[in-house]
Amino acid sequence: MTINERAEKAAELKLSGQCNCCQAVAGVFADTVNVSKEDLHKISAGFAAGMGCMEATCGALVGANIILGLRTNGEGTARLSRELLGKFKAKCGATICKDLKGVSTGKVLCECEDCVRNAVIALGEITGE
């Protein structure tokens, strides 16, 4: 599956209501890590709505970071995580859920399905997919 196909599949999962943003991103990479899709779904369950009702990091970005850690076996992940954060922010305009959704400003920077797509694509850019 190409990175763009993974991005579209993740967006479809999010839009279907089957999972949150974090679960959508992590789930489409289940075939690339040694963790089942079901376990990834459980691991990423608490990161809906930016964890803490939009107060924290976008769940899509968290999902990409979970996969990044699994794929690097934790080696050099912090450096790559910083790169992932920068790529995501450049694509979406922010990294905090409430900022992305324009809670304080009334201006939505990036819809959830686009955050999910962008997180998958940013991860693909870092991993060379």
Side-chain angles (χ1 to χ4, degrees), residues 6 24-38 40 67:
R6 287 185 197 280
V25 172
V28 298
F29 286 100
D31 64 317
T32 71
V33 296
N34 194 23
V35 178
S36 72
K37 189 171 185 174
E38 294 77 20
L40 284 172
I67 296 300

Side-chain angles (χ1 to χ4, degrees), residues 18-124:
Q18 294 177 45
C19 50
N20 66 42
C21 295
C22 188
Q23 291 169 322
V25 172
V28 298
F29 286 100
D31 64 317
T32 71
V33 296
N34 194 23
V35 178
S36 72
K37 189 171 185 174
E38 294 77 20
D39 284 344
L40 284 172
H41 195 80
K42 292 174 194 173
I43 290 165
S44 53
F47 297 100
M51 193 173 74
C53 296
M54 302 180 130
E55 292 296 321
T57 304
C58 171
L61 179 55
V62 173
N65 217 10
I66 288 169
I67 296 300
L68 186 61
L70 290 168
R71 290 176 77 181
T72 61
N73 291 314
E75 298 296 323
T77 310
R79 178 184 54 78
L80 293 172
S81 176
R82 182 180 204 141
E83 187 178 341
L84 177 65
L85 182 117
K87 286 183 179 293
F88 181 86
K89 187 173 184 178
K91 292 176 187 317
C92 297
T95 61
I96 303 299
C97 185
K98 70 179 179 179
D99 297 338
L100 289 160
K101 301 301 147 239
V103 172
S104 300
T105 64
K107 181 184 176 200
V108 175
L109 298 177
C110 197
E111 296 290 348
C112 289
E113 64 270 16
D114 291 324
C115 288
V116 166
R117 279 187 193 97
N118 289 332
V120 170
I121 290 167
L123 180 58

